Amino acid sequence: MSKQTLSFQAEVAQLLHLVTHSLYSNKEIFLRELISNASDACDKLRFEAINDGGLYENDTDLQVKVTFDKDAKTLTITDNGIGMSAQEAIDHLGTIAKSGTKDFVSKLSGDQKADSQLIGQFGVGFYSGFIVADKITVESRRAGMKTTEGVRWVSGGAGDFEVETIDRAQRGTSVTLHLREDSMDYASAWKVKSIINKYSDHISLPILMEKEEWKDGELIDPNDEKGGRQPGGMVKTGTWETVNKASAIWTRAKKDITPEQYDEFYKQISHDMEAPLAYTHNRVEGSTEFTQLLYIPGKAPFDLYNREKSAGVKLYVKRVFIMDDAEALLPTYLRFVKGVLDSADLPLNVSRELLQESRDVKAIREGCTKRVLGMLEDLAKNDKLPDAAASAEGVTDVLSAEEKAEAEKNAGKYTKFYKEFGAVLKEGLGEDFANKDRIAKLLRFASSISDAVSVSFADYKARMKEGQEAIYYITADTLAAAKNSPQLEVFKKKGIEVLLMTDRVDEWALNYVHEFDGTPLQSVAKGAVDLGKLQDEAEKKALDEAAETFKPLLAKLKEALKDKAEDVRVTTRLVDSPACLVVQDHGMSTQLARMLKQAGQTAPDVKPVLEVNAEHPLVKKLDGSVHFNDLAHILFDQALLAEGGMPADPAAYVKRVNALLV
Ligand code: ADP
């Protein structure tokens, strides 16, 4: 192939522009990204070579070399991994294969700070080289291909790139960064080493740099910051040294790993710029042996709700990387977890199909699920600072300074987690029957007495009124709609707390939880209100009487609304509102039906029950009104509006109201 110039995919061009403009404050990450690509390329070679040893071409010492040339102003990262064919270079370095790229690019706002956060999550990878380089040259040859089938790829990071075929004896890839004037400090051994130290110590491959020594150097003052040597300067010696620890972090003993190193590893695998909320690192021995290093991120990725998105856990078998989207390793509702699993028992050539069926994988999955739930329980337990009042009373021991610092470090983490991932966790209620109770304990809600999403079922139970027999809840599209729902009126009047559920997944998830710790859950919008012992005799009697006196009116209403309402009855659940809609005990809620329809799915046409407040002046006036029919429909449509719904015929509704106003 002779030299040709090709354009970047539109999204790449856009991304490149942003990379060079937004990531400026965190320049040095480019080295982590490029070394990580080099390391992935070696992992891929090792994996493909399981079935085809010839790919090694008699060179099995996989490694990454980092060199620089001050005069040429270049920094080069070379690996002897899988390499790229010309077509692969065009495809992989000119387009972004990741699903959701378009979505991602469309979310970028142009606000540098916000964008750099987003870009961090997306993982800029190779393109980050353009933060420090105004030109990048990639030379590569794919393992197993002829030496005449090498490729050179060159780009200035604007709209296009050049590719051509070259001779290349060496297998693998070198990426040469032509450093920008303001990034020349990366052409220094000391600087590069310190970055590798910070970001890439745990890469399991050796990272090599050429040793340097002082030419004619004479020690003048060792404390001088320039090293105090003669001007001959540092010269390369032609020998190489390994500059990283080169042992995969998860294979090292916990006591030898600092929290900072754990955090760094997380940032590397997750592309997150923030530290994780929690991690767990264990070697599990038993019928199946594996090592797990799992993290809970503090921030949701932009594609969290894409259930098809690749899982965040990488699978290794005896330190050989196998795949990085092994969804069989963790249930879907824990897809936010990042980390590494290294199994000692699975075969190296394990396929996806085999993973699905493997008993070892099942054990790993259960083990990991338990660990993650355990981490979340710990976060939840430590979310609040120990109560000052309680400790003053001597109820809790007075904390030592260390314990206090620890408590402060952990406070608020669960709240943060829940804000980002609570809705996803709820999917587990329907997905993970075995752990349903543990998941239910981890849920938090807003309630009629707390706007903050912080009320657990246990908190609720502890506050239940004497004689209260159910945990009451309401689902709605927004917190405001839930809080102001007419259905809540009687509960407010009696001071009974109601949980407010506003996540889309709530309706669905609640199908799987009927009780908590022996107390049934009861929607305040389903079935007739039964406040049980909370209702006194007088109220019950009043209701019975109203039902009797209103019988003829109810029959007329039922007739007028026969296309809209399943039934019409009087209720005690309302205080200020004239009417509300409820569904039959086991019916699908109107909110769920609405959601299904919005999603383009067929939902059964649930006709709700209209409940009217016998005490309300509007209801009292109904009987004998010449506008009976209009009022009946207005009553119904208003009840629909009050719960966030929409009248079937909004124009007719407006007409009726206007007619009455006039
Ligand atoms: P990511 O690594 O997240 O896929 P990058 O933009 O960093 O995204 O890289 C894009 C693709 O280019 C990689 O998936 C890989 O196929 C290819 N690539 C990048 N660097 C190398 C390398 N050193 N050796 C072989 N292939 C590479």
Side-chain angles (χ1 to χ4, degrees), residues 330-344:
L330 269 180
T332 311
Y333 74 97
L334 298 180
R335 61 185 174 277
F336 51 83
V337 173
K338 305 272 181 206
V340 166
L341 277 165
D342 195 338
S343 158

Side-chain angles (χ1 to χ4, degrees), residues 27-41:
K27 272 172 143 180
E28 62 190 29
I29 58 142
F30 80 91
L31 195 56
R32 168 183 77 188
E33 299 291 315
L34 295 180
I35 288 180
S36 159
N37 279 351
S39 155
D40 288 350

